[in-house]
Amino acid sequence: MASCLQIADDEKGHDLDLFCVPRHYESDLDKVIIPHGLIMDRTERLARDIIQDMGGHHIVALCVLKGGYKFFADLLDYIKVLNHNSDKSVPLTVDFIRVKSYCNDKSTNSVKVIGGDELSNLSGKNVLIVEDIVETGRTMQTLLSLLSECNPKMVKVVSLLVKRTPRSSGYRPDYIGFEVPDAFLVGYALDYNEYFRDLSHICILNDQAKEKYKV
Ligand code: IMP
Ligand code: MG
């Protein structure tokens, strides 16, 4: 099973005052759970693990928008550094897809894939799906079954976060950054109804904020 950094259920996190948090979000957040620097350090290692396993062949990195865009950009930067500085290097191309399954803080039953036409270009390729967070696993399982219809040569999934939750289907990505408690997390491109993508650290949203930004 993929090893990852465990954030314990009783993790107290860090006071907001110790970090730079946008003023407009100060009253919406309880604690910083994963500071931006730690995300970057873990991402650097994920890049190394991925290149070690997939490095023999051309990789198509498929970004799951919108939540995956920060992790995607930073992960690819680290992969580029490895490509620049080692004897072995692999061509890397990118593709983007949008998947929507959330309304407020609840996973909805339907998973919408937007931009599915481009999926046919993945035939015969080594595909790395880059996702922000896996909760029930439904989004990723839907995407994987759609992708298998396009006959890619290889598919690996990297998710920055996996939530420890009884709602999980049991699905585990190939590479995982952090395993996190069953709370609603925002920041580093993870959103609540489109807010909080403009926050660098991963934080726990408080109940007041869930009401404030409800649609
Ligand atoms: P799943 O289908 O239940 O695994 O949910 C996966 C998707 O739900 C992720 O790609 C996110 O977009 C969203 N999601 C799940 N949990 C959270 C969270 O705590 N914060 C923000 N988005 C989340
Ligand atoms: Mg996502």
Side-chain angles (χ1 to χ4, degrees), residues 27 45 54-56 62 72-73 89 94 103 109 156 162 180 196 206:
S27 61
R45 178 54 195 256
M54 298 183 81
L62 182 64
F72 184 81
S89 74
V94 299
C103 186
N109 282 325
K156 297 276 188 191
V162 169
V180 293
F196 304 99
N206 64 33

Side-chain angles (χ1 to χ4, degrees), residues 64-68 99 101 130-134 139-140 190 197:
V64 183
L65 294 170
K66 298 179 186 172
V99 178
S101 66
V130 183
E131 172 67 302
D132 53 354
I133 181 165
V134 168
T139 305
M140 202 38 68
L190 278 95
R197 296 198 201 274

Side-chain angles (χ1 to χ4, degrees), residues 78-145:
Y78 282 121
I79 291 178
K80 267 180 1 198
V81 170
L82 292 172
N83 268 339
H84 286 177
N85 295 304
S86 53
D87 298 335
K88 234 175 58 175
S89 74
V90 287
L92 191 70
T93 54
V94 299
D95 203 350
F96 300 87
I97 194 174
R98 276 194 73 179
V99 178
K100 206 164 190 298
S101 66
Y102 255 68
C103 186
N104 295 323
D105 60 344
K106 297 282 178 302
S107 188
T108 60
N109 282 325
S110 70
V111 176
K112 258 201 265 171
V113 178
I114 309 161
D117 281 348
E118 286 93 57
L119 285 184
S120 58
N121 298 336
L122 302 175
S123 168
K125 306 271 172 55
N126 284 342
V127 182
L128 176 69
I129 303 178
V130 183
E131 172 67 302
D132 53 354
I133 181 165
V134 168
E135 186 180 11
T136 62
R138 206 182 295 129
T139 305
M140 202 38 68
Q141 283 172 317
T142 306
L143 192 54
L144 283 170
S145 77

Side-chain angles (χ1 to χ4, degrees), residues 128-184:
L128 176 69
I129 303 178
V130 183
E131 172 67 302
D132 53 354
I133 181 165
V134 168
E135 186 180 11
T136 62
R138 206 182 295 129
T139 305
M140 202 38 68
Q141 283 172 317
T142 306
L143 192 54
L144 283 170
S145 77
L146 263 167
L147 228 78
S148 68
E149 291 168 19
C150 310
N151 300 312
K153 188 165 166 213
M154 177 204 281
V155 182
K156 297 276 188 191
V157 177
V158 57
S159 184
L160 177 64
L161 309 175
V162 169
K163 211 179 268 190
R164 261 190 315 276
T165 168
R167 294 181 302 286
S168 166
S169 67
Y171 168 76
R172 301 280 290 183
D174 300 287
Y175 309 95
I176 303 168
F178 302 85
E179 201 179 87
V180 293
D182 194 2
F184 200 80

Side-chain angles (χ1 to χ4, degrees), residues 198-215:
D198 54 335
L199 164 73
S200 299
H201 314 290
I202 294 180
C203 301
I204 296 191
L205 194 64
N206 64 33
D207 291 337
Q208 248 168 281
K210 285 185 190 170
E211 273 308 309
K212 181 171 159 190
Y213 298 97
K214 209 173 197 140
V215 290

